[in-house]
Amino acid sequence: MHAELEALMRLQTIDGETAQLRAEIAALPKRLAALEANLQAEKTAVEQAVKALKDEEALRRRMESDLKDQQQKIAKFRKQMSSVKTNEQYRAFQHEIEFAETEIRKIEDRELESMERTEQLEQKRKAAESELKDSTRAVEIEKEDARAASAEQQKRLEELTRRRGEERAAVPEELLTVYDRVAGGRGTGVAYAQGQRCLGCHIGLRPQMWNQIRAGEVLTCESCGRLLFYDASREPQPEAEPEKPKRGRRAPEAGVE
Ligand SMILES: [Zn+2]
């Protein structure tokens, strides 16, 4: 087995883990930002419900004031009615009073509707407040977890960086250059050569190249450029290959299975 290529294989595993870890580390602030945005939306929902309640109360105060106006009008008409001279005048006041009474009933109906809306808004506000409370708590827990995870991730990253340095120190500069260049473009820079194929791109290798690799030469795949690593233990065992041996051999052992 080729020690340098073996080191590159380990380096590749470390580089893969490092990339994944960095992605996890980068994803965390985004997730927290999304949680914060959600929290902000819930705060807004509470504020909106509170404002709608205030508006509704203001509306009812105006209705109350209108109601009083109408009542005062009626009182005034009644007073004036006592001193009218003609039936016509009397009926005119009566008509005004009826009109004002109709207005009062309309205002009272609108007040009832407003009270119903207030009741619904009150429920909405309570629900929004309770949701906000739960979310605030969830975000706090999430942040706490994130802080712990972040410390853990930094420790792992340091460990990976240390191991990466060790593995790279064991590989000659020219191999590292090839590895870094191909890994930079394709994600991985070394691939197993197995069954006369490059497992990086699954292209078949020419017989001569396959022989050279098996003889211990370090070559790159003509298709993807990855360094090819041959590991004899990964090839199918030669004795396992004979044609249809199973039936004949297994029969006597059938009882064991
Ligand atoms: Zn390849």
Side-chain angles (χ1 to χ4, degrees):
M1 238 188 285
H2 212 292
E4 290 160 356
L5 288 174
E6 243 185 313
L8 268 186
M9 267 296 173
R10 288 194 299 271
L11 176 62
Q12 182 152 289
T13 304
I14 292 166
D15 282 347
E17 274 178 43
T18 305
Q20 204 189 334
L21 187 58
R22 284 192 195 284
E24 280 171 28
I25 291 170
L28 194 63
K30 279 182 207 150
R31 208 178 45 164
L32 287 180
L35 285 171
E36 283 290 352
N38 182 47
L39 206 60
Q40 198 49 54
E42 288 181 0
K43 270 181 196 160
T44 305
V46 171
E47 282 162 10
Q48 276 169 350
V50 169
K51 185 180 181 302
L53 275 166
K54 272 187 189 154
D55 290 349
E56 209 58 57
E57 277 163 26
L59 187 67
R60 276 207 301 282
R61 275 198 300 278
R62 282 200 297 280
M63 288 177 192
E64 278 300 317
S65 157
D66 290 349
L67 204 71
K68 275 196 191 107
D69 287 350
Q70 295 297 339
Q71 284 164 343
Q72 277 165 4
K73 260 188 205 170
I74 292 172
K76 201 178 79 187
F77 291 145
R78 291 233 160 92
K79 215 172 168 187
Q80 288 171 325
M81 259 173 119
S82 58
S83 55
V84 296
K85 304 279 186 283
T86 65
N87 269 344
E88 206 178 319
Q89 278 177 321
Y90 185 85
R91 272 198 299 275
F93 278 120
Q94 214 170 23
H95 184 75
E96 291 289 353
I97 289 169
E98 275 166 21
F99 184 79
E101 281 171 346
T102 307
E103 281 305 300
I104 286 174
R105 276 194 298 276
K106 278 186 197 165
I107 293 168
E108 283 171 343
D109 285 348
R110 289 211 302 276
E111 263 188 316
L112 272 177
E113 284 164 13
S114 169
M115 299 285 271
E116 278 167 22
R117 281 197 299 274
T118 291
E119 216 170 284
Q120 283 166 2
L121 282 169
E122 201 66 66
Q123 283 172 3
K124 216 169 150 184
R125 182 180 60 90
K126 271 187 199 148
E129 277 174 350
S130 144
E131 225 168 275
L132 177 61
K133 203 178 149 201
D134 291 348
S135 294
T136 305
R137 174 119 187 78
V139 169
E140 274 167 19
I141 292 170
E142 191 86 26
K143 277 184 177 169
E144 201 58 51
D145 287 354
R147 268 193 289 273
S150 173
E152 188 64 35
Q153 284 168 333
Q154 287 303 329
K155 244 174 74 185
R156 256 183 69 207
L157 191 60
E158 279 166 29
E159 167 70 7
L160 285 171
T161 307
R162 188 185 60 74
R163 278 170 48 205
R164 180 170 189 268
E166 284 173 6
E167 297 296 355
R168 286 181 74 90
V171 181
E173 198 56 44
E174 62 268 26
L175 284 190
L176 278 181
T177 305
V178 176
Y179 171 85
D180 287 339
R181 181 171 49 75
V182 181
R186 298 185 182 274
T188 55
V190 57
Y192 281 113
Q194 191 183 317
Q196 209 179 322
R197 285 181 176 281
C198 161
L199 292 195
C201 67
H202 298 281
I203 287 288
L205 304 173
R206 284 183 296 110
Q208 194 205 339
M209 201 173 164
W210 178 233
N211 287 337
Q212 285 172 296
I213 289 166
R214 282 191 294 174
E217 270 187 63
V218 178
L219 297 174
T220 56
C221 171
E222 288 174 313
S223 167
C224 69
R226 288 182 179 92
L227 290 156
L228 293 168
F229 177 33
Y230 175 74
D231 177 354
S233 70
R234 290 176 68 90
E235 293 298 317
Q237 297 305 304
E239 349 122 61
E241 145 269 319
E243 64 290 3
K244 302 172 203 153
K246 284 170 185 168
R247 220 173 281 165
R249 271 189 209 163
R250 283 249 175 107
E253 293 170 9
V256 183
E257 284 178 357

